Amino acid sequence: MIRACLLTTLMLTLFAAGEPEKESPYQVPTPKGWAEETIALPPDFAPDMKWKGTEELRFAPGMFKADTPDFLSYALFFWLPDDADIDAKAMERELLAYYRGLAAAVLKGKKQEVDTKAFTLTITAAKPPPDKRRGGEPVAGYVGELKWTEPFATGKPQTLHLEIHSWPAAKHKHHCIFVCASPQPETAAVWKTLRAIRAGCTCR
């Protein structure tokens, strides 16, 4: 998994100019067997993104293996300043720019072309809405459906399901946005792990 993570870093040139904070004000759990990555926003592969801050990623063991039950299943945590635009429309815009850039960068490295303009992302309010965080922070919940070309292993069309929670980190004057992503149905075992990572995410 470490090898796969390093390979992904090389393929995508993930690190943008500037380094993430050395002493992070937040903590995102990493389950046993999962890999992790920290990058600055916006990433080099998605220069059209307007969000600035830090992104934490947690990759399932089968993240890059198409024949595994946790293929392309991972968690994304965005740490954004409190003046960032984070309503549903902004999330659609920012995450679509993210995935369009990601697919284009990976497939370019494989000398393949992709029509990223054909990608679509819809985000709607979660029903029922999520409960407050353990610290009492109010949570806005959304569900998303991304239709894109999976670039890492198959190069084929894929529907990626997103479960998104956002909450304020008022003491730090930041927003927290947590995205659970997987092509698996919500009853799949990997979703339990993704949600556990989200529940364990804390601010210092």
Side-chain angles (χ1 to χ4, degrees), residues 125-171:
K127 296 181 180 179
D131 296 329
K132 291 183 178 181
R133 301 279 299 176
R134 286 182 295 178
E137 302 93 340
V139 180
Y142 306 89
V143 291
E145 184 178 86
L146 172 72
K147 293 185 179 297
W148 75 322
T149 298
E150 186 283 307
F152 294 105
T154 67
K156 296 180 179 179
Q158 181 191 67
T159 298
L160 194 64
H161 306 294
L162 309 178
E163 195 173 276
I164 307 168
H165 282 191
S166 69
W167 65 92
K171 291 182 179 179

Side-chain angles (χ1 to χ4, degrees), residues 45-49 92-102:
F45 63 79
D48 290 339
M49 287 186 72
E92 283 185 357
R93 181 190 68 236
E94 296 298 297
L95 292 176
L96 189 56
Y98 181 97
Y99 281 104
R100 281 173 170 169
L102 179 64

Side-chain angles (χ1 to χ4, degrees), residues 18 21 24 28 47 59 61 72 77 89 95 111 113 123-124 129 131 152 154 156 164 168 175 185 197:
E21 299 174 62
S24 173
V28 181
F59 304 107
L72 241 292
F77 173 75
K89 288 298 181 182
L95 292 176
K111 298 183 179 180
E113 294 185 359
I123 292 177
T124 57
D131 296 329
F152 294 105
T154 67
K156 296 180 179 179
I164 307 168
H175 295 298
I197 299 171

Side-chain angles (χ1 to χ4, degrees), residues 9-147:
T9 302
L10 290 173
M11 288 173 60
L12 302 180
T13 317
L14 284 176
F15 290 101
E19 293 294 328
E21 299 174 62
K22 291 183 178 180
E23 292 189 9
S24 173
Y26 56 80
Q27 291 181 315
V28 181
T30 304
K32 184 177 180 180
W34 286 55
E36 62 182 60
E37 191 82 69
T38 305
I39 65 175
L41 297 173
D44 283 347
F45 63 79
D48 290 339
M49 287 186 72
K50 305 301 181 185
W51 283 350
K52 296 180 180 180
T54 305
E55 179 189 8
E56 290 281 345
L57 300 107
R58 299 294 183 266
F59 304 107
M63 173 72 184
F64 303 108
K65 302 174 183 178
D67 59 348
T68 62
D70 53 6
F71 173 54
L72 241 292
S73 298
Y74 65 121
L76 307 87
F77 173 75
F78 296 95
W79 178 252
L80 306 174
D82 60 4
D83 60 352
D85 192 1
I86 62 164
D87 62 16
K89 288 298 181 182
M91 288 184 184
E92 283 185 357
R93 181 190 68 236
E94 296 298 297
L95 292 176
L96 189 56
Y98 181 97
Y99 281 104
R100 281 173 170 169
L102 179 64
V106 174
L107 291 174
K108 182 179 180 180
K110 297 181 177 182
K111 298 183 179 180
Q112 298 177 30
E113 294 185 359
V114 60
D115 180 13
T116 61
K117 291 183 179 180
F119 295 1
T120 61
L121 173 61
T122 55
I123 292 177
T124 57
K127 296 181 180 179
D131 296 329
K132 291 183 178 181
R133 301 279 299 176
R134 286 182 295 178
E137 302 93 340
V139 180
Y142 306 89
V143 291
E145 184 178 86
L146 172 72
K147 293 185 179 297

